[in-house]
Amino acid sequence: MNAWQKLLQIARGRSPWVYCLNTGACNGCDIEIAASLTPRYDAEQLGVRREGSPKHADILVVSGPLTLRTRAALLDIYQQMPGPKAVVAIGSCPASGNVFAGSPTVLGPVDQFIPVDVYVAGCPPRPQAILQGIAQAARILAEGKQKKRVEVKA
Amino acid sequence: MITSLFHSVAGDLAALLIWPGLVGGALLGWLYLWLMRKLTARLQGRQGPPFYQPFFDFIKLLGKETLLPAGISPVLFYGLPLASLVATLFALALVPAPGNPLRSFPGDLVVLLFLLEVPALCEVLAGFAARSPYGQVGAAREAMMSLAYNLPLLSALIALAAGAGSFSLSVMAAAPVSWVHLVAALAFCLSLPARLKSNPFSIPNAEQEVVAGAHTEFNGLPLALLELSHALELVVMVSLFAALFLSPLAGSPLAWVAYLLVCLALVVFVTVIGAATARFKLHQAFGFYWSWGAAAAILVLAVALIR
């Protein structure tokens, strides 16, 4: 690994720009994500910037189980993010479907469709836990150990 | 003769690439950008990012994959950010900052004014070329805003040139301080927040309205170039102010200190205004510049021309 790549790895860990996506969550996790960006928790200390365009983002923050109507949006947005990128799943829904599991309109956990690097447990998780998840994803990006997308259910 | 030519060309290259050009400009630009983010955070009761943040943001963007959006030619997608960066770099090399090795030439103010317009022009073209509705709205807003903020800015610079009796930046920088300078400084400060797309004039890049404006579709290397170009633009504007309004100190070691202090003061001024205000609507900002900005423009030209 040469000096430029070393510098690049450090930069990837220090500058995680996030894009937040609700794939059918109850809005509980989204409120906690918003709280983690407020002055009290101040995610900018970690270099986090919330981006409005997925093309600027490094980390996709997903909340909610995947529903019939949000699948195309999730795959589209994931594909629009330039690599290297990581995915953080917030709360129980993207991990297991939670209380929505078994619903005819819910397709299932998010990790059946895109690779998830970090799971943050909770219903909803606390802002500290969300920040820890984003910091862990940034570390994964810095080490270059993010999961590659092998196969996607289209 | 050949050696003197070599020395002068080396001086020009140094002005472009080292000081006040690429290296010095980028370092200062990142410092100012960090200061703006940190000060905004502190004013909002947050801790804010560490000082290396803009540097690592830039490096990270350089190392990212670049996705070419559908419907845009790669020439425009890479060329417009590059043109914006190169034009800003040449503008920076022309600014008579202390220690600038560039030889000033008659009429370099005109070249500088043209180069200062290129980033805004590139931004407008980039927004329309990227075929995103957000980019197009951002580009249209940027075009409207450049018709507004340029009024006091150009008047201030033209008044300074008229006061000094020359279109050469080095002559203008050496002109003795007069009433023109005071009024021109006010007009310059009036246009500065809009020139830097800072609140309350952050209309072209309003993140709650048009995502990232003209930058929405840009990513990876082109986005890194656009961000660096913006950092350099910041340095050009504050350096130009410091260089043109500090003539009594020119040549002394104190000029360096005063230059940096004035630059930092301007950055703090723009940041505090930005943190303390909410965004104007486009017609409010336009109205502001064509009433108060126009008043400042008339005043500064009157002071310069009627003596």
Side-chain angles (χ1 to χ4, degrees):
Chain A
M1 196 192 274
N2 60 30
W4 163 248
Q5 278 167 336
K6 259 183 205 151
L7 182 66
L8 194 55
Q9 297 295 40
I10 297 172
R12 281 174 182 157
R14 297 279 164 86
S15 169
W17 293 2
V18 302
Y19 181 83
C20 304
L21 180 65
N22 177 333
T23 57
C26 69
N27 201 36
C29 292
D30 302 276
I31 286 173
E32 301 301 318
I33 293 169
S36 68
L37 300 166
T38 55
R40 186 171 180 89
Y41 300 104
D42 188 27
E44 202 183 11
Q45 286 175 78
L46 305 173
V48 172
R49 240 171 68 171
R50 187 179 177 170
E51 288 295 324
S53 167
K55 300 196 172 182
H56 299 181
D58 308 291
I59 296 177
L60 182 63
V61 176
V62 188
S63 55
L66 200 67
T67 62
L68 276 173
R69 286 187 182 277
T70 52
R71 186 194 62 187
L74 174 75
L75 297 180
D76 205 14
I77 282 168
Y78 184 76
Q79 269 159 356
Q80 282 187 33
M81 286 174 60
K85 56 192 168 187
V87 178
V88 180
I90 303 292
S92 308
C93 292
S96 67
N98 202 7
V99 291
F100 303 109
S103 159
T105 59
V106 167
L107 293 174
V110 166
D111 57 5
Q112 290 182 3
F113 296 84
I114 57 172
V116 174
D117 296 279
V118 181
Y119 294 92
V120 180
C123 184
R126 294 178 68 86
Q128 295 96 322
I130 294 173
L131 284 183
Q132 194 186 12
I134 292 174
Q136 198 185 331
R139 243 188 335 271
I140 288 173
L141 280 176
E143 290 161 3
K145 288 181 181 161
Q146 69 276 7
K147 288 184 185 151
K148 304 281 187 301
R149 193 163 102 160
V150 272
E151 199 182 321
V152 166
K153 259 194 226 170
Chain B
M1 158 91 191
I2 301 252
T3 43
S4 74
L5 185 71
F6 175 77
H7 278 296
S8 53
V9 169
D12 294 353
L13 273 180
L16 195 60
L17 296 176
I18 299 167
W19 173 261
L22 190 58
V23 176
L27 290 177
L28 275 182
W30 289 326
L31 177 74
Y32 297 159
L33 281 184
W34 167 75
L35 189 66
M36 292 175 98
R37 285 173 71 173
K38 180 77 177 176
L39 190 57
T40 308
R42 293 306 295 146
L43 289 171
Q44 292 173 347
R46 295 186 285 126
Q47 279 304 312
F51 74 95
Y52 48 66
Q53 195 59 51
F55 169 70
F56 278 138
D57 286 349
F58 175 73
I59 297 289
K60 176 206 73 178
L61 285 175
L62 275 188
K64 283 206 77 149
E65 182 190 8
T66 305
L67 300 177
L68 189 70
I72 179 171
S73 131
V75 178
L76 288 179
F77 192 65
Y78 290 97
L80 286 173
L82 193 64
S84 169
L85 178 64
V86 170
T88 320
L89 213 51
F90 274 89
L92 193 54
L94 284 174
V95 171
N100 186 346
L102 189 81
R103 294 160 298 162
S104 184
F105 52 90
D108 53 1
L109 173 70
V110 182
V111 181
L112 180 76
L113 290 181
F114 167 69
L115 290 172
L116 284 181
E117 279 313 297
V118 174
L121 194 64
C122 286
E123 183 120 344
V124 172
L125 289 175
F128 278 115
R131 304 201 174 209
S132 149
Y134 302 117
Q136 291 179 357
V137 174
R141 291 176 169 196
E142 170 72 31
M144 288 288 279
M145 284 304 289
S146 77
L147 292 180
Y149 62 68
N150 270 330
L151 185 66
L153 181 66
L154 292 184
S155 308
L157 293 175
I158 290 167
L160 284 177
S166 166
F167 270 155
S168 167
L169 282 165
S170 57
V171 177
M172 285 166 66
V177 173
S178 62
W179 283 105
V180 185
H181 281 79
L182 184 67
V183 190
L186 288 175
F188 194 102
C189 288
L190 200 63
S191 76
L192 199 58
R195 189 72 186 69
L196 300 173
K197 298 194 198 72
S198 164
N199 260 354
F201 303 107
S202 61
I203 298 167
N205 58 348
E207 67 272 16
Q208 294 95 340
E209 300 167 21
V210 289
V211 187
H215 295 190
T216 305
E217 291 289 321
F218 285 80
N219 58 74
L221 175 69
L223 184 63
L225 296 183
L226 284 172
E227 300 256 328
L228 183 61
S229 167
H230 181 251
L232 291 180
E233 230 181 312
L234 174 62
V235 181
V236 172
M237 293 314 289
V238 295
S239 299
L240 186 63
F241 184 94
L244 290 183
F245 294 99
L246 280 178
S247 60
L249 294 170
S252 70
L254 213 57
W256 285 89
V257 183
Y259 164 79
L260 277 176
L261 283 181
V262 170
C263 287
L264 288 174
L266 272 187
V267 171
V268 169
F269 161 75
V270 171
T271 312
V272 170
I273 298 274
T277 52
R279 189 176 301 123
F280 276 145
K281 289 176 187 168
L282 184 59
H283 72 90
Q284 291 171 321
F286 204 78
F288 175 81
Y289 277 114
W290 278 93
S291 52
W292 293 105
I298 291 168
L299 183 67
V300 70
L301 288 176
V303 172
L305 299 175
I306 308 165
R307 265 178 299 174

